[in-house]
Structures are given as C-alpha cells and as structure tokens.
Amino acid sequence: MALSLDREAYYRRVKRLYGNWQKGEDDYANVDAIVVSVGVDEEIVYAKSTALQTWLFGYELTDTIMVFCVDKILFMASKKKVEFLKQIANSKGSENANGVPAITLLVREKNESNKGNFEKMIEALKGSKNGKRIGVFSKDKFPGEFMKNWNDCLSKEGFEKVDISAVVAYTIAVKEDGELNLMRKAAAITSEVFNKFFKERVMEIVDADEKVRHSKLAESVEKAIEEKKYLSGADPSTVEMCYPPIIQSGGNYNLKFSVVSDKNHMHFGAITCAMGIRYKSYCSNLVRTLMVDPPQEVQDNYTFLLQLQEELLKELRHGVKLCEVYAAVMDVVKKQKPELLNKITKNLGFAMGIEFREGSLVINSKNQHRLKKGMVFSINVGFSDLTNKEGKKPEERTYALFVGDTVLVDENEDEEEEEEEKDEAEDLLGRSSRAAALLTERTRNELTAEEKRRAHQKELAMQLNEEAKRRLTEQKGEQQIQKARKSNISYKNPSLMPKEPHIREMKIYIDKKYETVIMPVFGIATPFHIATIKNISMSVEGDYTYLRINFYCPGSALGRNEGNIFPNPEATFVKEITYRASNMKTPGEQTVPALNLQNAFRIIKEVQKRYKTREAEEKEKEGIVKQDSLIINLNRSNPKLKDLYIRPNIAQKRMQGSLEAHVNGFRFTSVRGDKVDILYNNIKHALFQPCDGEMIIVLHFHLKNAIMFGKKRHTDVQFYTEVGEITTDLGKHQHMHDRDDLYAEQMEREMRHKLKTAFKNFIEKVEALTKEELEFEVPFRDLGFNGAPYRSTCLLQPTSSALVNCTEWPPFVVTLDEVELIHFERVQFHLKNFDMVIVYKDYSKKVTMINAIPVASLDPIKEWLNSCDLKYTEGVQSLNWTKIMKTIVDDPEGFFEQGGWSFLEPEGEGSDAEVGESESEIEDETFNPSEDEYEEEEEDSDEDYSSEAEESDYSKESMGSEEESGKDWDELEEEARKADRESRYEEEEEQSRSLSRKRKGPAHSSSRRSSHSRSPGRSSGPPKKKRK
C-alpha cells in the first residue's frame, strides 16, 4: 500500500513557516533561504531536521535535501521518495498552494556526485533574496558520502550559515487539533502504563519484599508497551518510549531525563519514576514519586511540591514569558520554604512535541520567549539532596521528590492532560499495615470501578439508541424483496415433447434430458417437471402394483430448504396421482403391465436425486462473491508452513498440505494436489492461536465473503497442526518416572517451542510482505471464559476486534464492531451459570446465544465489554429473541419511542422490572409469615390447647416450605414419590381434617397465612394436623 501524504496539512504548515519567515522576526530576518538536509544515522532519535520533515509530511525521509527559497521550494530525494512527494507537487500552478511557492522535485542519482542537481539547488539559493545567508540547523550533522558532498558544495560557494533552530522550534511549538489529539493519546497511554503496570508492579515488589534492580524494572516497563492491554487500544507498532524509563531510589538521585536507571536494587523509601511514551511521533511525559512509610517531614515536603506544581500550572498562560513563570514559582519557595531554594530543579520544564525536549523553550530564569495557546509543555518540579532526619542507613538519609506532567497552554489557564495520581494511594504506607492498606485500597478501587462502569454504560445506552434509530430509519427504504421460487418449465412448446411409443401407449415416460415425467391424465400425455414432485411410493397389493406420486402445492408442508412461494398461487394444483397396473401377464404379452410402473419408480428416483444434488450445489454457489485470481510469486523464498491440516476437510479423510503466502493471498496445497486460495483482501480476521494450554496450534481465517471448496461454501477456514499426542495409550503399564515418559514430555515441550517459533516467523514474514495490511490477532487467554455457543463447552477468548474460539469445530467468531449490545440472561444469585445473548447491529441477523457461562466470569466479562465501549444489560429471565427482533424490525419507530433498548435495563419501567417487583414481593412474604404466626400464637394463648398445637404445626409447615425453596430437583422428586406412596393412607385423615377445620374458627386465618408461606408457583397439599 502506497503511503499517503496529508496535502492539506502540508500546505497549512508550510504556509505558517513562510508566514513567520516573511514577518522577519528574530533570526528569520537575517536569512535569505532555508536549507534542511537529512542523512542516515540510526543513533539520532531527535533532530530538528527530522522533526520538520515529520511535521510537514508525517514521515522522516532519509538522504533528502529540502531547500526553501522565497519564490520556489526544491526537494531532492531518491526515486521512491520523489514518487511519495509527488502527492503535494501535483497541483497545476499554485491553485492549492495558497500563496506558497511551487515545488520542484529532483531525483537523487545512484552515483554519489549528483553534480547537476546540486548546481540547480545552489542556483536557486543564490536567486533567493540576497542569496548570501542560509538558515540551517547547525546541531544536525549527519554522516555519509552524500551529506559530505552537499556540505562541501555549500562551503565552496561561501554561503554564510545562520542557526534557525530556535525560530523554527517556536513555529512548530503551537500544535493543531490533530497534533493535540495524538499527544492526548500518548499521554493517556503513559498514564495507563504507569497506573496499570508500573504502580501495580512496585506494590507487588514492596509487598513480597523482592529484590529487584532499577534497570530490570525499567526493562519490564519497556516490554509492557508491547502488550495491547496497556495501550488503550493503540497499535503497538505506533507506540515507543521517548527515552528508557528512569527509576531511582536509595539515596542516588539525578533529576534529569538524560540519565539511565542504575543496577542498584530498589530501596523502599522514596522511589522516583520518569517515563514518556511517543505515539505516532508525538511525545508525552510523566514523573511520579512513590513513597513507602514516609515520615511526616517527607510528606510535608511532598505536599509543598504539589503546591508548587499547582502554582506553575496557574502561571502557564497565553502571552506570559517563560522567565516570568519561573520567577513566580521561585517567589513561592522564597516566601514559604527558602531552605529548599538550592534543592529545586534548575528548570521547571520544556516544550514538547515531535521532539521530546525543545532546548529553546525551557522554563528557566533567562528564557524571554512568550507562551502561546496550543503549546504543549512537559512540566517537572523536583527537590533533590533532601535529608531524612529519621533515616538510619546511608540509603535512607538522602531522598528526592520529583513530579511532572504533560500540559497544554490555554487562553486563561492550562488544562491538564494526565490524570494526576497525587492522592494518598501513592504513599504506599507503613510496612506494618501494608497488607491491610493495600487490601482496603483495592476493594475501594473495585467499588469505584463498578460505579465507573455504570456511568460509562449509561452514556453508551444513550448513544446506542440514537445510532440504532438513525441506522434503522436510513435502512427503511431498502425493503427486502422476497425471492419467488424458481419456475421450472419442462417444454417451452409442444413440439419439444418426445415422440416415444411409451407416450402413445399411455405409459409413464421419463424424459431425462428435460428432467420431466410424462404421465397419462384422462388419456392425455401430461408433462410434470421433476421439481414439482415431492415424493413417490410404490406398493404391491394382491394382483396389482400401485404407484403414488405426491406433488408440491400451496398449503403442503415444504422442506426447510424449499421456498413456499409459488409463482402463481391462485392456479389449480394437483396434489397427488395414483396409478395402478396388474401384476398378471396377459396372454401374448412378453412382460407384465406393472413393469412400466416399477421402471418409472426407479428412474424418477434417480432423476430426482440428480436434480436435488445439482440444486444444492447451485444454492451453495448462490451469493458467492467472485474472488480475484491469486497472483503467484515464483520466488522460492515465499513464507511457507508445511505439514498442516485444513479444517473443514477438502475430502472425506483429512489431509496434510502446505500453506504458502503469495503476492495477494495464501494458497494451501494438499498432498493430493487440491488447492484452496484465500486472498488477503477477503480476510476479515486473521487469528493465531498459540499452543499454550491447547493440543493444536492454529492459524484461523474468518472471511468477509464465503469461498467454495469441497462443493460447499465456507466463511471460516483454519490450518492447524497437532502438538504432542491428542490420544493417550492407557494400555501402557509404566511407572510415571519412567525414562521414556520423561523423554516424551521433554520432546513435547521442545516440539511446542519449535512449532510456536515457526508459526510466529511465518506470521511476521506475512505481515511484512503485506506491509501490515494483514494483521494477525492473538486471543487474550487471560480474558477467556467458558461457554457453550454450540453444543459443547469451550474456551471463548477475546482478541482486539472479536470474540473467538478456534480450537473446537465449528469455530466461533463474532466481530465486535458488528455487535449492538450484549444481554446476560438468568443472572441470579442461586444459579451457577448464566447465558449471554449477542444482538447485532443488523437486526435481521439472528442473535447469537452463548449458554452455561460460569457466574464467576460475569464481572471480568463486564469489565472487558466496558473497555470495548460495548453496552451490556442483564436480567433474570430468558427472553424470546426471535419475537423481540421481529417486533423491532416491523416497527422501529414505535420501538424507539417506547425507550428502545432501555426495556432491558433492570431499573427500566419495562415488563422485566414489574416481574422482578412481584417476585421480590413474594420473596418478602415467604420470609415473614413465621414471625407473624408466632405473634398470633401469643395472642390466641387463651384458646384451647389443640388449636395452639394446630397453630404451631402450621408455622412449622410454613417454615418447611421456606426451606423447600432451597432444595434441588432430585430431592423434590424423591419427596413427591414418598407423598404418592403415603397418599392412600392419608385420604381418611384428610376427611377428618376437613371436619375439624369446620368446627374451629381460628384455623381459617392460619390456613390463609400458610397459603402465603408457600413458595411461588408450587402448590403443596393441605397441612397435616393432629388432634388431641
């Protein structure tokens, strides 16, 4: 894929550069032309030249010379880069240039002299203004022959060089909205890595009293940015560190960003951490101090440091000089804690953007530059060489405090981009109470996480209803046209009818060519196409053979695959025809008359089978999108994986084969020579399932459009190989410590590692070959949960864009972008599992059900869905989704007028809520009666003993029924059996009981109460009473 260049951004920015130059402020006034030359040097991470290129084009262009003259712009680069730059040079004249000079592109020759091109550029430089003084970035010195020749050429001509680094930096420092969004994203990723990885890791280390070196911890932070879970959804290839993370503790502190983490072990005192992440070339920075068991004096100094940072933020306003900002902060220190004046950092921050540190825009006592709205600063305030009076060991006596953030300068006050972590959670508290402190902090966080989730879900609910409403109204015009059943015509005109003797003799004749059965009806030969015949049966009764033919007609039960729409349903249809023929041979005839029916029966069956097979194949092919043809790369070094099996199988038996990547797709070739082609542009999800915890290692492709192979259409194709033995021979009576077994285990481990490496290499090569166009996703096993999308339970794992299971067949792949919302059914305390319903944005698509998910997975699933911005709801009942979706599709406006999807919300006013209320009322009633009855027993104590005994019996019964609600089905069935056995003995007691009930008054009230105490929906027999 060709790299694209944002033309509008280029013209906007180059116009700003020329605008500032023409104003002639500062160093710009002395410059006749600007020369920016970039060579190749892997060592240089930040340079003004490359920053200017990134700012203008979005990419760094090595071995490129840019010459900006008053009336023209020249770019000299290699052929490929010139092709890339043509995107901005194409404009005829300067209609798009908006007053910016036209561009001339020069192609760098392979030989090193490039004399002709150099001369053109020198000529242009001389013709620009006075043609004497050129603006350059004097610090940027690139090695290489090409750069040397160019610099020599400039020196020969005797141009006077002026360093314009500072003025260009000032031009670039004000960020556009697009740039600010990239920096916000970078800041969000830095914050995420710090909170979710670094802080948690430090807490673990402190908790377990581990000995970890600063350098090792810094390396682990660098590795963390390779994991997607810390990147807030960003592509790992666009994320890098601005500098290696700096972690310092134990008395050795240097509060600069040029130092590296030393190899000393982390000391549990004041731990400073500085890290910055760069996203799509834009930097961000974050500095924090974590304290373990800090004395009061240290805490006071930390609070003062935060106060200084607040002061600094207040001062960072549009139009203020940087030295004034510095002076205002120093005034606060002088007034409140003058003893800290010599401990504070030399500067309080610097401008940041494509370059991490802008040397000309540093907040110190001398800088006269003014702040402008849209500038982004990394502000860093710290105290070093502070003395801890309570410290006993040398490493405890000296400490430092350092805090920093990425901030944006605004009109009135700055707005912070990082979430500040300045609460007490940062001081990791005393060791004695550390475990308890961490525990309480975590539970508190969990509560807030649930609240955060709810708030986020509310926002999503509103968005969901609005988007769905808009989508449905747009789709309303596109009504689906029902497809009429294909009308099969046997003969277009009577002349095509065969002239066979069978037809003249009024026998049944089958015309195989036209797939037609010609039958005599009232003495006329009538053709019926084979498609009209539903089924046929033949039976012999006595001397006669009967052939019964049933036809399709409106109202008859059609098979699942046959359409029930007839081209002309008003016509008169024949439902069935029965023919009879004798089994007795008449004198003079060679064959029995029934032979014709027997032959007809056999041939009709054959023709019908052939027709149905062909129809099935056509139905499979229907809607198949024609794929481009595969372009074979004849190169031997194509990425290739051998000894793979394909699922679904091409033939009856599974076969091995090899998978090879070509120019525009994969080709799988089986050992038998069958070929299956999968094109890159038809792949919706490419998944790689490693063999960790699995018996197979899989490459799975979920396709946009189905492909045909093995006479069937498939949207999921996977290639896998087995790791180790899937079956184990139980006949081996060997000891577990047998050498063979240990050797086999070791071999399997090696095999797993080998396969994993081979697959990973293949994936990397394919991604490089397709220029990252095809990206393989690896499921996150940590987020996986068990569920049954089909018949069996399997492990469902999320990837960055889907929810998948590739190891079981059939596979399960749901694209998250196509999901409207998720509903959890049967979520109740006493149930061990629940179901998950996936509703798609395309409401005509059937919902997907995942059954029997363990209740323990509910919270992690909610957390994952919330992080993916997917709306979820939950309820206690199972709903009839076919009916619900039909209602929505039939009347979308009515559905959204009534609140749309909010009917699934537990606090909504839908039917679910009412059911919930009525159930909870019943539950309350089931809980209370026994107490009421005890009270009533006390009131009725003046009655005779027998009624009191009855009352207490009642209360026991009611309590019993309460307990029953907790019993499982087996116990209830066993009770029912016992009850049946006892029922015949109880009949007499029943009668005597009813008599006693009539005699005694209070029994009525107790019977009423006991009816309340029964659990809802279950009727129990009348309570037993003993009379005394």
Side-chain angles (χ1 to χ4, degrees), residues 986 989-997 1022-1025:
E986 288 174 6
E989 277 189 45
E990 186 87 13
Q991 289 166 3
S992 64
R993 227 181 282 130
S994 62
L995 285 166
S996 69
R997 205 180 281 133
K1024 298 170 194 170
K1025 281 196 263 176

Side-chain angles (χ1 to χ4, degrees), residues 490-491 497-498 500-503 507-520 526-530 533 536 547 549 579 595-611:
S490 298
Y491 306 109
M497 284 260 288
E500 295 293 324
H502 270 68
I503 296 169
K507 289 180 179 174
I508 295 173
Y509 174 74
I510 293 95
D511 183 352
K512 288 185 182 174
K513 185 184 172 188
Y514 287 100
E515 293 177 328
T516 298
V517 183
I518 298 168
M519 311 178 209
T526 313
F528 288 91
H529 194 275
I530 199 80
I533 296 173
I536 56 171
L547 179 69
I549 302 171
Y579 289 96
L595 187 66
N596 173 244
L597 294 189
Q598 288 160 10
N599 286 342
F601 177 74
R602 183 175 50 78
I603 297 166
I604 289 171
K605 280 276 187 204
E606 271 175 36
V607 175
Q608 205 173 25
K609 188 179 175 186
R610 201 172 64 208
Y611 173 76

Side-chain angles (χ1 to χ4, degrees), residues 108-115 118 145-147 149:
R108 184 165 71 91
E109 294 154 23
K110 289 284 179 201
N111 61 5
E112 292 298 326
S113 66
N114 286 294
K115 220 173 181 184
F118 285 170
E145 198 66 28
F146 176 56
M147 286 291 117
N149 290 346

Side-chain angles (χ1 to χ4, degrees), residues 435-446:
L438 290 174
L439 235 163
T440 54
E441 186 198 52
R442 279 183 187 163
T443 48
R444 200 179 307 124
N445 283 353
E446 271 166 35

Side-chain angles (χ1 to χ4, degrees), residues 261 280 347 410 418 430 513 546 551 562 581 611 646 897:
S261 303
K280 291 188 179 174
N347 64 60
D410 213 342
E418 304 260 357
K513 185 184 172 188
Y546 292 88
F551 296 95
E562 281 97 24
Y611 173 76
I646 184 171
E897 273 167 23

Side-chain angles (χ1 to χ4, degrees), residues 805-817:
N805 165 52
C806 315
T807 44
E808 306 282 323
W809 198 262
F812 177 82
V813 181
V814 168
T815 309
L816 298 181
D817 287 347

Side-chain angles (χ1 to χ4, degrees), residues 456-470:
H456 188 209
Q457 285 296 315
K458 265 188 182 171
E459 287 169 28
L460 288 175
M462 286 162 73
Q463 282 174 25
L464 174 82
N465 277 338
E466 283 166 20
E467 278 177 31
K469 195 174 180 182
R470 196 193 66 241

Side-chain angles (χ1 to χ4, degrees), residues 814-853:
V814 168
T815 309
L816 298 181
D817 287 347
E818 292 173 6
V819 174
E820 179 82 305
L821 86 153
I822 308 276
H823 181 65
F824 303 120
E825 296 186 334
R826 299 191 306 111
V827 180
Q828 294 184 45
F829 286 121
H830 62 275
L831 293 179
K832 288 179 184 169
N833 49 37
F834 63 95
D835 304 333
M836 179 167 156
V837 180
I838 299 169
V839 181
Y840 296 97
K841 287 178 180 168
D842 177 4
Y843 290 170
S844 56
K845 198 172 173 183
K846 195 181 169 193
V847 300
T848 301
M849 295 275 290
I850 302 170
N851 300 319
I853 304 169

